[in-house]
Amino acid sequence: MVGLINWLSQITAVTKFSLRTVPERLGSSASAVFGIAGVVAVFVGVLSIAQGIRQTMVTSAAPEGAIVLRSGADSEMMSGLGREATRIISEAPGVARDAEGPLSSAELFVILNLPKRSTGTDANVPLRGVERAAPRVRADFRLVEGRMFEWGRNEVIAGSAAAREFAGLDVGASLEVGREQWQVVGIFATNGDLSESEIWTDAKVLQPAYRRGDSFQSARVRLNSAGSFQEFKDALTSDPRLDVKVARQDEFFAEQSIVVVTLITVLGTIIAVIMGLGALIGALNTMYTAVSERTREIATLRALGFRSGPVVASVLTEALILALAGGLVGGGLAYVAFDGFQAATMNWQSFSQVGFAFAVTPQLLVQGAVYSALIGLVGGLFPAIRAARLPVATALREL
Amino acid sequence: MSESNNVLVRVHDVDKVFRRGSEEVHVLGGAHLEMPDGEFLALMGPSGSGKSTLLNLIGGLDRPSEGTVEVGGLRIDRLSDRKLAGWRARHIGLVFQFYNLLPVLTAERNVELPLLLTHLSRAERRKHVAAALGVVGLKDRSQHYPRQLSGGEQQRVGIARAIVTDPTILLCDEPTGDLDRTSSDEILNLLSALNEEQGKTIMMVTHDPHAAARASRTLYLDKGKLATEPEE
Ligand SMILES: Nc1ncnc2c1ncn2[C@@H]1O[C@H](COP(=O)(O)OP(=O)(O)O)[C@@H](O)[C@H]1O
Ligand SMILES: [Mg+2]
């Protein structure tokens, strides 16, 4: 016990002097800090894209939302439901109701081509035909500008992310749908979820414009509670009149976003690892320099009877502190530069653009800090071993 | 037994081999040395003759390639690195030519360093440090950093650090090698006093006959032989 305390006090003592010598090695220490800061900033920055997309597509989806597609369809694009099917769905057990009826909206999904504000090039934007319950099916629907479209008229409202990304979606502008001009009469928000990247209109006016007869592609419902899902699903899948698949809204979007999120995460990790190797070499270099500049001091301490353990610990601690400082700077930089940054990406399931905001989450910052600590520990390890193995007599005579 | 009782250091037939590229350099080549307790020994000899090597072997900073080194009845050439570090902390006081003080620590903290390896409380350490700085006459410089002290003062701090643990033996490698006459004399007076008044056993490597004259015995090391007279 006394031995352990003695050993720990040796470590703290040696670490304290070595940290006091850092200012003498400011240049090389600072370069390690900034190298690691750069890596962490890029790492956190890239992963904040994946986080942002996830949040847009998954996190903001209400847990009591459900989506019904034709069985075998992986996305709304590939799905189709008849009028009769959507009626049966709206009356299924578990569907929430309010004064105006069941919270169920049969929807139609088509793609428009519009120029992006940023580049002027055309990109896909979803135009969704909805029923009257649609705003109430989505938990946080609200109009932020203009008014709701009138049912039965060639009018649309645009989601705020779509309005931000695409030119020609301002209130008062008109839009070519089929061969007609439709008016943009309002902008809506849905608390940052996927709907904000869409344009909405009355399903009944969209059907003839796209010659869809009286058919739809999906039904969105709001359930009494998240717990009602199983009952709802069982009722529909066991109904012989239907051939549908039923998914929780959040799981459906999670599945849809998985390709993009995984791709970006993998890409971000690869970039971070490659850059990390660079920063690691920087950290190694810094710590080797630190050890060689402290050779005299380390040899003196060893000569006086300090063991190699505390010397190793002091080198590792210094590396760790420098690395964490870098991690902190990098994380802060990423937060300031990227958090909330608006962008758009392709939704690979609907082949249309999804607007999202980079999300530098606390979890990402912790990951960045852990990554920087790892670089510091590995970068400090070999120099620390060199310091420990320093032959005392030889080191003393070199000075 | 009765005769060997007061022999503190016994170096028997030691050789140290250094490798310089592919070439092997034999230093010391089977040297013998006995130092009685309480002796102040000066070790002279040409540069490169192996004086520092011998001192390092006795201080447990290095191990012989051949032969044995016994200090206070203990075969230190057989100790593990770990044990040797602990042994140095308890038994050896080292004084270096270039003082080897830690520049980031005050005189007081530098002197305290070896005490961090003991079980003494902070208050006890303070007391020992004050006493050691008193012995070298630097009580009023305790809060100074090495760069604020003259060479002679730095070496006195070095001596305070070497004696603060009350070691069995003081090993000084050219302690006055970097000092002017006046400072040298101060250091030599200090070492003499430690030897005469406190009975400290001291081994001092020096190039300076004037310094060696202060010791109780002088040995000359040349071509691996220890002699009482310098070779022509
Ligand atoms: N660690 C070492 N590595 C290689 N050669 C060494 C080492 N230590 C000493 N030597 C060589 O051993 C010889 C004796 O050195 P040293 O003991 O320092 O001599 P002195 O102190 O008498 O000047 C020299 O030739 C020196 O170059
Ligand atoms: Mg020498």
Side-chain angles (χ1 to χ4, degrees), chain A residues 393-394 397, chain B residues 18-20 25 27 46-54:
Chain A
T394 308
R397 61 181 292 124
Chain B
F18 292 112
R19 231 165 281 279
R20 204 177 283 140
V25 183
V27 187
S47 191
S49 58
K51 304 180 296 296
S52 297
T53 302
L54 182 58

Side-chain angles (χ1 to χ4, degrees), chain B residues 153-205:
Chain B
E153 287 170 329
Q154 291 188 54
Q155 191 60 297
R156 278 147 71 191
V157 174
I159 291 173
R161 181 178 66 186
I163 61 173
V164 75
T165 53
D166 192 21
T168 311
I169 181 167
L170 266 186
L171 299 176
C172 314
D173 197 344
E174 304 192 33
T176 60
D178 205 44
L179 297 177
D180 60 30
R181 182 84 277 153
T182 323
S183 304
S184 288
D185 285 339
E186 280 173 15
I187 296 301
L188 292 167
N189 290 341
L190 202 51
L191 292 176
S192 296
L194 285 167
N195 174 248
E196 283 158 20
E197 291 159 27
Q198 302 187 17
K200 273 276 163 265
T201 309
I202 302 176
M203 179 170 173
M204 173 176 71
V205 169

Side-chain angles (χ1 to χ4, degrees), chain A residues 101-119:
Chain A
L103 297 186
S104 167
S105 167
E107 303 187 346
L108 206 60
F109 186 91
V110 303
I111 297 292
L112 289 183
N113 243 306
L114 290 178
K116 294 194 77 168
R117 278 191 205 276
S118 53
T119 56

Side-chain angles (χ1 to χ4, degrees), chain B residues 4-12 33-37 54-62 64 68-79 84 87-88 90-93 167-171 201 203:
Chain B
S4 63
N5 244 352
N6 67 342
V7 173
L8 183 64
V9 177
R10 200 188 298 272
V11 174
H12 182 75
L33 172 68
E34 288 193 353
M35 266 181 88
D37 197 4
L54 182 58
L55 190 101
N56 288 341
L57 292 178
I58 294 169
L61 297 171
D62 212 345
T68 62
V69 180
E70 204 177 301
V71 179
L74 183 72
R75 280 282 300 276
I76 61 162
D77 54 289
R78 285 182 172 169
L79 295 179
L84 207 52
W87 178 84
R88 284 198 298 272
R90 281 190 304 281
H91 295 287
I92 298 296
T168 311
I169 181 167
L170 266 186
L171 299 176
T201 309
M203 179 170 173

